[in-house]
Structures are given as C-alpha cells and as structure tokens.
Amino acid sequence: MTRPPTRLRAEIVERPIDAAAVIASVADVRAGATSLFLGTVRDTNDGRAVTGIEYSCYRAMAEREMMAVCEDVGARFAPVAVAIEHRIGALALGDVSVAIAVSHERRAGAADGARHAIEELKRRVPIWKREHYADGTREWVDPTKQGSGRWEVGSDTARDVPRPTSQLPLPAP
Amino acid sequence: MLVARRAARIDCGVTLTVLFFASYADALGRGELELTLPPGSTVRALLALVRAMPGAELLPPAPLVAVNQAYAPLTHPLATGDEVALIPPVAGG
C-alpha cells in the first residue's frame, strides 16, 4: 500500500487567523497527533515597549517560499498534513501573526515538524515587520542586528541567511 | 552611425522590473523601478546600478536578491521581463 501524499497548504492572509480552522484543515483519521504553533505580537522587544506590529511581504514569493517550507517538512518528517497561514497588515498586541499546524501519525513527527516549519519560515520567507513603540517611533525589525537571544553577535551567522529555493549558491552576506 | 549602434544596443538590452521592500523601499524612496541593462548582465551588474541611486548607501554591500521569486546568486544572468527583488533581512513569524 503506497502512502498518500502529504496535504500542504500555505497562505498569506489579511484577516485575523482562526487557529481552530487551521487545525481543522490538517485533521485526518490517519493522524494520531496534531501540533499547532502560534506566533503572537509581544509587548516588548529588545527592551523597548511595543504597541503593535505592521507586517508586509513580497506576496508571490512569500507564498511560494511558505509552500517550499511545507514541502521541506513533508520530506523530512512525513506528516499527514501541513498548513501555514501568515497574516500581514497592522496587528495589535496579542494578535496571531502566524499559525502552523502539522498532523502526523505520531507525536514526535507532529511536534518536530511544526518546530522545523517556524524556524525555516523565519529564515527564508520574505516577510517584514515594522514595530511601533510606546514612544511613538517605529522601526523595521532586522533579526541579523538584534542584540539579544539567538541573534546576538557571535552566533552562527550562517543560519541567518536564507538558502536559495534552487541549489544555486547565494552571494556572500 | 553612433545612433544606429546605440539603437541596436537598446534593442538587445535587458529590460526588467526591480522591486524594493520594507526598509529598502524606505531608503530608496520607491518600491519599483524599470531598468534596461546591457545584454548578458547579471545580478551583480544590476546591484552596481542600484548602488548608484540616492539613498542606496543605507543598503548593505551585498543585499539578498530574488529573480522571478527565487533567491539568486550574484552571477545569475538576467533576461528581459525578469522580476528582480532586493530582499531586506526577513522577519516573519
């Protein structure tokens, strides 16, 4: 018996994300586990009070790269289904910016697949965010320059640079 | 003679659209640009032209580039009708 292909869905949306609908879109009786990852707008970043985030994207490429992330999860973890929705536009504190659902026969594949998907999305999908701060200023977020967490100076900079969708080498950063 | 040669050069030049997003669009004051480059031009040649634009000093020395919605290296050859995009550091999620 051949295994049915993984169901994949990737979408940029301009409306609130319905997490229950994203979970429902990967529902399948072959799955014994479903993992959901939600990214939400946090009230601080790098010690600054954030009041909201404005997301924008290169839509055609972003959806293509999100689908490539789904395919990568499919190839690595053999899930039953993968769905990614990313919201763009003006988001308020607590709003869901991204939802990733992975259904799998087993729990490890579901959890690891969802984790891999968000890491790859953050690395290669052309989406940008401009944070609005409590002092009235706003700035484009540059994860390669942030002074905290995994992006700090001395971290492995190779993973900061997206890989091309093809096998072509990238220009030096 | 000179006019004829120039016309021939334009005829076989590479005319394409360049897209700028987020911080790069702010730096250059525009989101889109139509460019004609000499035949055989690569991503590297296009970046050299972009670097001469006012505001381009705010861009990194080697920004990521996508050609027709796929990341491309500096040596990627360009063709008429290509959609080229300069990709600022991505920050989804």
Side-chain angles (χ1 to χ4, degrees):
Chain A
M1 192 175 78
T2 55
R3 191 181 160 276
T6 302
R7 280 190 287 129
L8 309 172
R9 187 171 71 85
E11 197 179 347
I12 296 282
V13 299
E14 292 171 68
R15 43 140 180 95
I17 289 174
D18 179 350
V22 178
I23 294 172
S25 74
V26 300
D28 195 297
V29 292
R30 288 179 291 135
T34 298
S35 274
L36 175 71
F37 173 86
L38 295 182
T40 50
V41 178
R42 193 178 59 220
D43 69 357
T44 51
N45 191 24
D46 267 349
R48 301 180 74 181
V50 173
T51 56
I53 297 181
E54 191 190 324
Y55 282 88
S56 63
C57 71
Y58 176 14
R59 190 168 193 137
M61 183 174 172
E63 287 193 325
R64 186 174 154 159
E65 285 291 312
M66 279 165 55
M67 185 52 82
V69 170
C70 287
E71 285 164 0
D72 188 36
V73 171
R76 283 168 189 262
F77 301 96
V80 173
V82 182
I84 306 178
E85 271 186 28
H86 202 299
R87 185 179 172 189
I88 57 161
L91 274 67
L93 297 183
D95 280 354
V96 175
S97 54
V98 61
I100 297 171
V102 178
S103 60
H104 198 284
E105 287 175 24
R106 305 283 178 180
R107 64 186 181 281
D112 295 349
R115 174 64 193 269
H116 182 74
I118 184 59
E119 298 299 336
E120 282 295 294
L121 180 147
K122 290 180 90 78
R123 206 175 58 79
R124 63 188 282 179
V125 179
I127 295 173
W128 302 279
K129 57 186 162 198
R130 178 148 56 178
E131 289 180 334
H132 293 233
Y133 304 104
D135 62 8
T137 60
R138 51 189 201 169
E139 254 174 50
W140 292 106
V141 174
D142 181 351
T144 64
K145 283 185 182 161
Q146 277 182 327
S148 63
R150 57 179 285 231
W151 304 109
E152 71 190 2
V153 175
S155 72
D156 175 14
T157 52
R159 71 183 169 187
D160 299 350
V161 180
R163 276 195 307 262
T165 23
S166 63
Q167 293 308 306
L168 295 166
L170 270 183
Chain B
M1 178 65 195
L2 182 64
V3 170
R5 205 185 303 148
R6 191 176 295 160
R9 187 181 169 94
I10 289 167
D11 277 350
C12 53
V14 175
T15 299
L16 43 75
T17 306
V18 190
L19 304 177
F20 306 107
F21 295 96
S23 56
Y24 293 0
D26 285 357
L28 297 167
R30 63 200 305 165
E32 197 174 328
L33 175 70
E34 192 151 293
L35 271 185
T36 300
L37 295 132
S41 291
T42 60
V43 166
R44 191 192 307 274
L46 180 143
L47 284 178
L49 277 188
V50 170
R51 272 197 210 99
M53 292 170 63
E57 64 279 1
L58 298 171
L59 271 57
L64 282 176
V65 174
V67 178
N68 300 327
Q69 292 115 42
Y71 289 110
L74 291 172
T75 51
H76 186 92
L78 297 170
T80 288
D82 277 352
E83 181 177 286
V84 181
L86 269 64
I87 309 288
V90 301

